[in-house]
Amino acid sequence: MRYWFLKIGFFALLLIIDGCVEPFSPPEVNSDENYLVIDGFLNVNGTDSTRIELRRTQNVNATASPNIETGAQLTVEEENGETISLAETGSGIYTLAPRQYNRGGKYRLRIKTKDNQEYLSEYVGVSITPAIDSVTFKVDPVLNAGVFYINTHDTQNKTQFYRWKFEETWEYEAAYYSALMVRNDTVVTRPDNINKCWRKTNSGSILLGSTVKLSSDVIKDLPLNRVPISTNKLFIKYSILVRQYGLSRQAFEYWTDLAKTTQGTGSLFDVLPSQVTGNIRSTSNPHLLAFGYFSAATEETRRLTITPRLGTFPRCTEPDTIPIRCSSRDADECALNTAKLLLTYWGPRSDSVLVAAHSCADCRLQGGTTQRPSYW
């Protein structure tokens, strides 16, 4: 009897707890404030352009693409009084052609938006980035993935704080080769190859490293990118371009806080979301926030291209066989009216063709392009 009382009491407690749970939506989540977001840095290596992108924040529940900030005026100001203007070369993209900079000077960014709001960063010194020693690749059988590692060092022990970005490109093929197409009610040879493609993506995570707690300024075999073999990115040929930046301590702390906020949420023990704004402020309204950190640094790059042949050849449903021309006595599918892609001729008289779905024979549908990269 006591067992049944305990059981009933337990279920009653569950009902009470369940009835007390109410959804909580903090006001920051549903905020519709349209704050400015600045992404970019001053590239002072003298050979590459500076690129800064401006966007606007949006409600985290919004499904539309972020608003792009166009028509703004951006200038980089050196502490000695020199001013350099950036040009808008794309929608919300502002660039500055390569030039020689005073690497011992300090710089700040001034932004004037088309609604006449002005933002100004703090002056920042130039971080001289050491060269990348090597980018290496190993297969991790436990993770069933290929892992790329970064190696670098600073003999003067001055850098200590690092950030990396990378751009990955891989070659892939569709399951079937479409050699034919219909043109003017006639089956002809397809002039372009839509079986082989290349796809390019950029790193999405904030990748940081520090040697402050080490006896020397050396980064050795730091995992930078993990590519699961199941993605088939490593099946034919894969190339990774790594970009390395030295950071000031303040910039490193900003990117660390931002990484904790944007990449470390989702469980009970993760860091709680916080407001990470950076070193850019409104000149007229302290409540008008701007998100981003302006820094100045040299950029070092290193590319590694491999042909590991890891993964499996893509699979698809078996091709169908259909006649080239439709019979006047029926409405059967034929090459001249099919919605599928034509692969090759079939039959002793070549009066039929093999066909397959577009997803099986057109590699462009997987987000890639048939244009071979210049570095391939």
Side-chain angles (χ1 to χ4, degrees), residues 41-213:
F41 75 106
L42 179 65
N43 191 342
V44 301
N45 65 3
T47 58
D48 294 307
S49 299
T50 292
R51 174 188 171 109
I52 295 177
E53 297 185 39
L54 300 184
R55 298 185 299 275
R56 290 285 179 174
T57 61
Q58 60 185 149
N59 189 306
V60 296
N61 295 318
T63 56
S65 300
N67 293 326
I68 306 300
E69 184 66 22
T70 60
Q73 299 175 27
L74 274 66
T75 56
V76 171
E77 302 173 355
E78 191 179 356
E79 201 171 28
N80 65 8
E82 183 181 7
T83 299
I84 313 163
S85 298
L86 284 77
E88 185 172 7
T89 55
S91 182
I93 299 173
Y94 302 83
T95 59
L96 181 60
R99 66 187 303 274
Q100 295 302 314
Y101 294 90
N102 174 19
R103 298 191 176 187
K106 291 187 176 182
Y107 299 86
R108 68 182 180 183
L109 177 67
R110 186 183 298 272
I111 302 170
K112 188 174 183 180
T113 61
K114 58 186 176 183
D115 61 355
N116 291 321
Q117 294 294 336
E118 188 177 67
Y119 301 84
L120 191 63
S121 77
E122 301 169 1
Y123 278 109
V124 295
V126 175
S127 297
I128 305 300
T129 305
I132 299 174
D133 294 331
S134 65
V135 178
T136 60
F137 171 79
K138 294 180 182 178
V139 177
D140 189 322
V142 177
L143 297 174
N144 193 33
V147 183
F148 292 86
Y149 301 86
I150 186 75
N151 294 277
T152 188
H153 76 286
D154 183 359
T155 55
Q156 298 181 355
N157 291 328
K158 290 184 177 180
T159 305
Q160 296 188 318
F161 303 103
Y162 298 84
R163 184 187 177 202
W164 297 276
K165 296 180 180 180
F166 64 82
E167 174 187 283
E168 55 177 352
T169 308
W170 65 96
E171 180 182 329
Y172 67 96
E173 296 178 353
Y176 303 125
Y177 184 88
S178 174
L180 304 173
M181 64 181 296
V182 176
R183 179 184 291 164
N184 298 327
D185 290 334
T186 303
V187 175
V188 298
T189 301
R190 180 182 291 278
D192 55 340
N193 182 354
I194 60 172
N195 173 260
K196 184 188 295 292
C197 279
W198 291 265
R199 186 175 177 184
K200 180 191 298 184
T201 61
N202 296 320
S203 53
S205 301
I206 299 172
L207 306 169
L208 304 169
S210 173
T211 61
V212 168
K213 297 182 179 180

Side-chain angles (χ1 to χ4, degrees), residues 1 45 57 87 109 152-153 188 211 216 229 233 235 243 268 285 292 306 323 342:
M1 181 65 70
N45 65 3
T57 61
L109 177 67
T152 188
H153 76 286
V188 298
T211 61
S216 58
I229 294 175
K233 290 182 180 181
F235 185 64
R243 303 180 186 276
L268 179 63
N285 184 357
I306 58 174
L342 280 57

Side-chain angles (χ1 to χ4, degrees), residues 17 49 300 356 361:
I17 294 175
S49 299
E300 294 290 336

